[in-house]
Structure formats: structure tokens, C-alpha cells
């Protein structure tokens, strides 16, 4: 897809023609526990119109059921089937390459660790074949040390996503990508990232909705993940300015800009 240098600033999404919506969550639908202005009304309107939508998140903290519950709690109709997370595609990737019973060192929430175990892997602190990194607000030096030693011992370093920062209630916090890169820098390796900007997560969402790329739009607040993933999947990306500020140094250029939903 040709990279536009002068994005079109939209006053409203109604200026575009589309029949399906793919959307990021953090920074688009909510910040922390609070809905972002305009998001609930917009998605409720699409629901009432029968327009299909699916949420695509690099956040691996929760299960699809938990994400759906949070979205419903904000007032937006949603089922777990309408949520595709980086955790889901990451575990599919690892499962396709490693046998059940493979020892894995995990940086992530208890929920994510439970899903790794449910996928058939064994959690370990040493002698891991895979170091799997998701967002973990309890990440500390001892965990970095354990991850480093496993990677130096030959384990593959896999991150659920490359997000360096993410929007929260009172500003921003480091993302899972920042954790993975700290381990990678220490170990002198390059991490393998599975979530956005990989187009696989976009393709899975479109499969669920039964739509083609040309009929969908992708709403996101990060050029190097959301918008790049959309472009790689052939979907029109719309950068919404309610989340992470646009990075003027990024090589990725969005086709459309929108102040808020």
C-alpha cells in the first residue's frame, strides 16, 4: 500500500464509506477504566445499525471474556468473539512451533500465565526454551535477570507486542514492548513480536466478521502498531487522536486523522 504523506483530516467518520470496523481499545475506547468521549455513543450507533465491529488489542493482560465484560460495562454491546488479543495470536504462534510440555519463562499477569499453562506449556524459572513477554506491572530486576539468563541459555525471546507506551487514566505507562526490549538489549538479541503490527491479528478479526479488507477500517492511536498493521493487511487506517500522541518521527504515515470518535 502506498504511504500517504499528507493525511486527510476527517471531521467525522461519516465521511468514509465502510461496512465493518476494526478498533484498538486502549486510547480509542477507553483510558484505564474510563470510556473516551464519543466512543460509547459511536459503537452503540454501529451496533444499532447492524454494522459489525471487532476489537483488536495488543494488551495480553486479560482474556477475551474479561475484555468483553469491561467493554459491556462501559455501555458498548460486545461478545468475547468480538475481541482478538495479542495473547491469542501469540499462544497460537508458540503452539504451532513448540510441543506441549515445553518449558516457558513468562513475564505477564497471572491471567496470562494461566492461559500459557492452559495451552499445554510448563511454566519455569530456569532452562526455558521460550521466554514469553507480555505486560507485567510487577516486572522487576530479578525477573529481568531470570529472563536474561534463559535467553542467554538459548531460549527464544517472544513478545506479545512491541508497544513501548500505552495510555492510562493519568497519562502513560511503559508497554510490554519496553519490557521485551530491555531483556533483548541486555541479551544482545532481537525479540520476535506477534501482535500488531503483524497483519495476522487483523486477518483473524476480519475472518470473524466475515468481511474483506477493502470494506473495513481500522481505528488506532499508534502509527507503528495499529496503523502499520492495517496497512500490511490492506485495510484503511484511521489515526484517532485520543490516545498516544502521533509520532512525527515515525516512517509510518496514516491515511486519515480524526480528533475523536
Amino acid at each position: 500500500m502506498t504511504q500517504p504523506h499528507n493525511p486527510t483530516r476527517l471531521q467525522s467518520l461519516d465521511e468514509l464509506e465502510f461496512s465493518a470496523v476494526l478498533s484498538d481499545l486502549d486510547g480509542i475506547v477507553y483510558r484505564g477504566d474510563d470510556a473516551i468521549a464519543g466512543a460509547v455513543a459511536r459503537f452503540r450507533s454501529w451496533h444499532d445499525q447492524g454494522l459489525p465491529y471487532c476489537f483488536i488489542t495488543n494488551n495480553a493482560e486479560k482474556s477475551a471474556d474479561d475484555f468483553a465484560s469491561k467493554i459491556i460495562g462501559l455501555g458498548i454491546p460486545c461478545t468475547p468473539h468480538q475481541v482478538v488479543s495479542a495473547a491469542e495470536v501469540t499462544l497460537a504462534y508458540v503452539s504451532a512451533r513448540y510441543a506441549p510440555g515445553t518449558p516457558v519463562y513468562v513475564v505477564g499477569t497471572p491471567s496470562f500465565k494461566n492461559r500459557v499453562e492452559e495451552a499445554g506449556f510448563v511454566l519455569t524459572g530456569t532452562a526455558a526454551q521460550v521466554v514469553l513477554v507480555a505486560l507485567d506491572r510487577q516486572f522487576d530486576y530479578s525477573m529481568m535477570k531470570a529472563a536474561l539468563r534463559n535467553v542467554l541459555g538459548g531460549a527464544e525471546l517472544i513478545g506479545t507486542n512491541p508497544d513501548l507506551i500505552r495510555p492510562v487514566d493519568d497519562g502513560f505507562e511503559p508497554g510490554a514492548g519496553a519490557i521485551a526490549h530491555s531483556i533483548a538489549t541486555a541479551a544482545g538479541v532481537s525479540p520476535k513480536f506477534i501482535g500488531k503490527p503483524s497483519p495476522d491479528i487483523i486477518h483473524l478479526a476480519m475472518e470473524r466478521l466475515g468481511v474483506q479488507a477493502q470494506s473495513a477500517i481500522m481505528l488506532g492511536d499508534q502509527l507503528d502498531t495499529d496503523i502499520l498493521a492495517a496497512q500490511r493487511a490492506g485495510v484503511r487506517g484511521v489515526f484517532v487522536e485520543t490516545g498516544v500522541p502521533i509520532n512525527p518521527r515515525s516512517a509510518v504515515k496514516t491515511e486519515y486523522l480524526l480528533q475523536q470518535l
Side-chain angles (χ1 to χ4, degrees):
M1 177 179 291
T2 301
Q3 304 298 311
H5 293 284
N6 297 305
T8 299
R9 175 166 290 281
L10 303 171
Q11 298 304 311
S12 168
L13 281 175
D14 296 332
E15 297 172 42
L16 299 179
E17 291 186 8
F18 53 90
S19 56
V21 175
L22 312 174
S23 178
D24 185 32
L25 284 172
D26 290 303
I28 303 298
V29 176
Y30 52 68
R31 290 183 74 108
D33 294 325
D34 299 323
I36 289 175
V40 173
R42 176 62 76 173
F43 278 96
R44 287 184 65 88
S45 173
W46 285 331
H47 176 266
D48 294 343
Q49 295 170 32
L51 190 145
Y53 52 82
C54 186
F55 298 103
I56 304 173
T57 178
N58 267 354
N59 190 328
E61 291 180 273
K62 305 180 181 71
S63 66
D65 293 89
D66 291 335
F67 278 117
S69 295
K70 179 173 182 176
I71 295 165
I72 291 169
L74 296 175
I76 300 172
C78 182
T79 68
H81 191 68
Q82 289 173 279
V83 180
V84 180
S85 76
E88 184 176 352
V89 292
T90 298
L91 289 176
Y93 175 89
V94 177
S95 296
R97 288 158 178 79
Y98 293 90
T102 296
V104 179
Y105 180 74
V106 178
V107 175
T109 61
S111 174
F112 181 64
K113 290 177 180 178
N114 287 340
R115 279 173 283 160
V116 174
E117 287 189 300
E118 289 169 359
F121 301 108
V122 176
L123 302 186
T124 185
T126 60
Q129 292 185 36
V130 179
V131 170
L132 196 50
V133 180
L135 183 64
D136 188 340
R137 293 183 181 83
Q138 307 306 312
F139 182 67
D140 59 18
Y141 189 81
S142 64
M143 295 167 68
M144 183 178 179
K145 179 179 176 181
L148 169 65
R149 290 186 172 183
N150 278 293
V151 173
L152 291 178
E156 182 180 8
L157 178 59
I158 299 175
T160 56
N161 69 82
D163 290 350
L164 298 178
I165 64 172
R166 54 193 303 272
V168 291
D169 291 329
D170 57 353
F172 300 93
E173 69 177 9
I179 298 174
H181 278 298
S182 72
I183 298 166
T185 299
V189 301
S190 296
K192 170 69 176 178
F193 290 115
I194 308 301
K196 296 174 289 186
S198 168
D200 293 347
I201 196 168
I202 304 284
H203 292 150
L204 178 56
M206 289 192 294
E207 274 182 34
R208 291 193 180 179
L209 296 183
V211 299
Q212 300 299 313
Q214 62 270 20
S215 65
I217 59 172
M218 172 69 195
L219 308 176
D221 69 329
Q222 297 214 44
L223 292 173
D224 295 328
T225 54
D226 302 322
I227 302 304
L228 182 55
Q231 292 172 351
R232 288 175 171 174
V235 174
R236 287 169 293 167
V238 180
F239 187 96
V240 186
E241 299 171 306
T242 51
V244 177
I246 197 164
N247 179 8
R249 297 183 298 277
S250 175
V252 180
K253 307 301 178 184
T254 186
E255 187 174 358
Y256 299 103
L257 283 172
L258 181 70
Q259 186 172 12
Q260 67 176 57
L261 295 184

